[in-house]
Amino acid sequence: MPDDKPPFDWDHVHVGQRFANEFDLTPEMVAEYTHGVDDQTEWWRGDSPFGGPVAPPLMLSHLMAKVSANDFAPTSGRVHTSSSTQVVEPVRVGQRIRIEGEITEKYIKRGRRYFRMTCHAFGEAGNELLREERESLFSLQKVEGEGT
Amino acid sequence: MSVDVKQLEVGQDLPGLTKRMTIEQMSLPLWSGGNKIHFDEEFARAQGLPGPIATGEMSVAYISEMLTRAFGADWVRGGRISFKFVRSLYAGDTVAVRGRVTGRHPTHSGTRFDLDVWCENQDGATVTAGEASVIVTA
């Protein structure tokens, strides 16, 4: 069955567009995340001051990029450029996570196309875990004749 | 695990970390998210890059690990961070992870530490720069 979802690009993303995605935060995901950055902290896989394993506090920030995965075809080239992030609660491993996001701005700067998005992550009890505002490039490639 | 915050003063550096970026780590599905710019040589070159770039969030994870070591549970339960990716990281790069206290303020719930945080590559160039804050409740 062909995937008829649009690419995540300038033409298919608009301000006010909202996304949501849910996934189980598994020990295997945490292990892959920590392996990728050589983080051997015991709290992420064993005992912690929070009564069991918790995720590295900015892991959900990285997973915010998946918030639009249900709405668009896989699209390469997007580049995260900056963020402002607040950890609200420790993130217990093994729970269902819901991420919500909204496009708040779309603009061209120095010939490149950017978007801004606000995101929130919630635990399975509906408790907020992390909030973030992030700016990304749709692509590194410049748009001829646009921007300054 | 935590630094003795009673001795942490404005201008003081946190214990830093050194990391080495590998293409194997950059290519992990959870990290690349399937975005070819992080693992596909040909695609990266078509974007005008010399090769695949690591997702900048890997450098922020390094910074978070440094803050966890310094501030322990207080960072994990309520830290704040703003950051900007200044330069790209490539496979084979060595990354120095740094933090410096810029402010120390009493609050109703503890002492808030403000910090400059950043990562440098092996040439001493800043690749990620930001500001973090942690309220130490102990």
Side-chain angles (χ1 to χ4, degrees):
Chain A
M1 184 175 172
D3 187 350
D4 57 0
K5 293 176 184 174
F8 190 99
D9 62 18
W10 179 269
D11 294 330
H12 295 95
V13 171
H14 61 266
V15 174
Q17 200 167 6
R18 295 184 177 191
F19 314 108
N21 199 357
E22 292 191 11
F23 56 89
D24 293 320
L25 184 65
T26 65
E28 292 76 18
M29 290 173 70
V30 174
E32 185 175 348
Y33 179 94
T34 55
H35 171 63
V37 290
D38 290 326
D39 183 347
Q40 304 297 320
T41 306
E42 175 66 19
W43 294 357
W44 318 144
R45 60 179 186 274
D47 196 20
S48 79
F50 309 105
V54 292
L58 298 185
M59 181 172 174
L60 291 185
S61 167
H62 175 61
L63 295 175
M64 293 292 188
K66 297 183 186 303
V67 68
S68 59
N70 292 330
D71 301 81
F72 293 94
T75 309
S76 290
R78 197 189 321 183
V79 177
H80 186 187
T81 53
S82 66
S83 275
S84 181
T85 308
Q86 180 179 357
V87 179
V88 181
E89 284 187 14
V91 180
R92 181 174 51 77
V93 177
Q95 66 177 314
R96 188 125 183 109
I97 303 292
R98 178 178 175 82
I99 294 180
E100 297 177 357
E102 179 178 355
I103 302 292
T104 57
E105 199 175 354
K106 212 173 73 161
Y107 54 95
I108 296 172
K109 186 169 69 177
R110 289 193 280 274
R112 289 196 168 103
R113 290 170 165 172
Y114 290 79
F115 65 94
R116 285 185 184 275
M117 185 160 55
T118 59
C119 292
H120 299 262
F122 301 93
E124 59 193 12
N127 48 317
E128 189 178 19
L129 300 171
L130 185 133
R131 67 187 68 141
E132 180 167 277
E133 294 183 12
R134 50 196 288 142
E135 178 196 66
S136 300
L137 278 161
F138 284 98
S139 166
L140 282 171
Q141 293 182 333
K142 290 194 172 185
V143 184
E144 282 189 31
E146 294 190 66
T148 55
Chain B
M1 175 175 242
S2 304
V3 164
D4 181 357
V5 293
K6 290 178 183 171
Q7 297 184 18
L8 201 54
E9 299 294 343
V10 173
Q12 187 173 343
D13 288 346
L14 298 183
L17 304 175
T18 301
K19 300 281 186 174
R20 186 166 171 82
M21 189 68 71
T22 70
I23 191 67
E24 182 261 338
Q25 291 169 312
M26 291 161 54
S27 306
L28 289 168
L30 187 134
W31 275 110
S32 74
N35 187 340
K36 294 178 182 177
I37 204 166
H38 300 311
F39 59 86
D40 187 310
E41 190 84 26
E42 191 175 337
F43 181 87
R45 289 186 188 280
Q47 304 297 305
L49 297 166
I53 57 173
T55 174
E57 290 151 11
M58 297 179 87
S59 62
V60 180
Y62 298 157
I63 291 170
S64 179
E65 181 185 347
M66 174 184 67
L67 294 171
T68 300
R69 292 189 185 196
F71 294 99
D74 288 317
W75 166 249
V76 178
R77 69 162 64 93
R80 290 174 182 251
I81 186 168
S82 298
F83 51 87
K84 183 175 285 191
F85 302 121
V86 182
R87 290 181 179 82
S88 298
L89 279 170
Y90 299 89
D93 281 351
T94 299
V95 185
V97 189
R98 301 281 182 256
R100 182 170 298 150
V101 178
T102 58
R104 180 179 166 143
H105 310 281
T107 72
H108 68 280
S109 53
T111 302
R112 191 188 78 231
F113 288 87
D114 298 328
L115 304 109
D116 284 339
V117 290
W118 70 98
C119 292
E120 298 172 352
N121 65 16
Q122 63 277 359
D123 299 321
T126 301
V127 293
T128 300
E131 297 174 346
S133 67
V134 187
I135 295 177
V136 174
T137 54

